[in-house]
Amino acid sequence: MTATLPVCPGAASALPQAGDPRFLVGHWADLAGRTMGRVAPWLVRGIMGLALLAFLFLAVGPHVLGYRTMTMLTSSMSPTIDPGDVTVVTPIAISEVTEGMVITYHKPVEDHSVVTHRVVSVATGPDGSVQVQTKGDANRAIDPWAATLEGDTAYQLRAVIPGLGHVIQALRAPVVAQLLLYGAPALLAGWLLLTIWRPASDDEAARA
């Protein structure tokens, strides 16, 4: 026995044809929705992964591996280190400091701020103290002081990460800090939801 469903006159004409603008809008909207459904989980995972790596590098690594990170504020070492670059330094014995090495130390003048410059001369005193003179690669003159390295270790430049300091400075802005404070938990919750709920694939939808 064959059952037939009644069809109202004009019902077929209510559906948009392939060339109708309404059909094109619906098609592109559906395509954009499916694309976002596939891209969004990976985008969230990527952002969370980068945030985790940055946290490990800046907060955990120095305590576990012993290196230090600092942001270059001046152009005295350009082009080796430009303003906004992040330097990675590791401790070495002061007896290992040699000419040509780039080290980070406290200036013996003014506010005793930290400076990263290249060693141009090394002198060892009778008591075993090590005194260095340094110069910025971009400076014409040697630094107008001689610094005695304190303690048993000095910090030698090992790596330069271009531009990372600008990113760190931007993240410290009040607006960005508030956004991260409230946005990070929401992002994490979204990632967890996307992990639990995955859009059905085209094959699964076809079978359904």
Side-chain angles (χ1 to χ4, degrees):
M1 179 177 181
T2 303
T4 59
L5 296 176
V7 178
C8 298
S13 61
L15 298 175
Q17 301 299 317
D20 193 293
R22 291 174 297 171
F23 176 84
L24 296 177
V25 171
H27 171 73
W28 286 112
D30 181 63
L31 180 61
R34 284 185 294 173
T35 302
M36 285 301 298
R38 294 172 180 174
V39 172
W42 293 105
L43 181 62
V44 172
R45 292 188 185 100
I47 295 175
M48 294 297 296
L50 289 175
L52 178 60
L53 289 176
F55 174 75
L56 293 175
F57 173 70
L58 297 172
V60 179
H63 297 285
V64 176
L65 302 178
Y67 64 82
R68 298 289 183 269
T69 60
M70 283 160 283
T71 300
M72 192 69 176
L73 301 178
T74 69
S75 59
S76 62
M77 282 296 291
S78 294
T80 306
I81 313 172
D82 292 320
D85 292 351
V86 167
T87 60
V88 180
V89 297
T90 58
I92 60 171
I94 60 173
S95 58
E96 298 179 7
V97 175
T98 59
E99 294 182 12
M101 183 181 292
V102 178
I103 64 172
T104 297
Y105 66 97
H106 289 276
K107 293 192 300 185
V109 296
E110 299 173 355
D111 58 353
H112 298 276
S113 59
V114 174
V115 63
T116 300
H117 278 178
R118 193 177 302 277
V119 177
V120 295
S121 69
V122 181
T124 303
D127 58 351
S129 62
V130 176
Q131 192 176 73
V132 298
Q133 281 191 302
T134 57
K135 174 183 176 296
D137 289 355
N139 295 342
R140 295 183 178 180
I142 295 174
D143 296 329
W145 61 75
T148 300
L149 301 180
E150 300 178 355
D152 299 325
T153 59
Y155 282 89
Q156 180 185 5
L157 177 70
R158 296 296 186 180
V160 178
I161 305 177
L164 181 59
H166 295 305
V167 177
I168 296 173
Q169 185 177 7
L171 293 177
R172 290 176 177 171
V175 175
V176 178
Q178 290 295 322
L179 181 62
L180 291 176
L181 178 63
Y182 297 103
L187 188 62
L188 178 60
W191 179 76
L192 292 174
L193 290 175
L194 288 172
T195 302
I196 298 172
W197 175 82
R198 297 174 184 272
S201 63
D202 292 342
D203 292 339
E204 292 174 346
R207 286 196 298 269

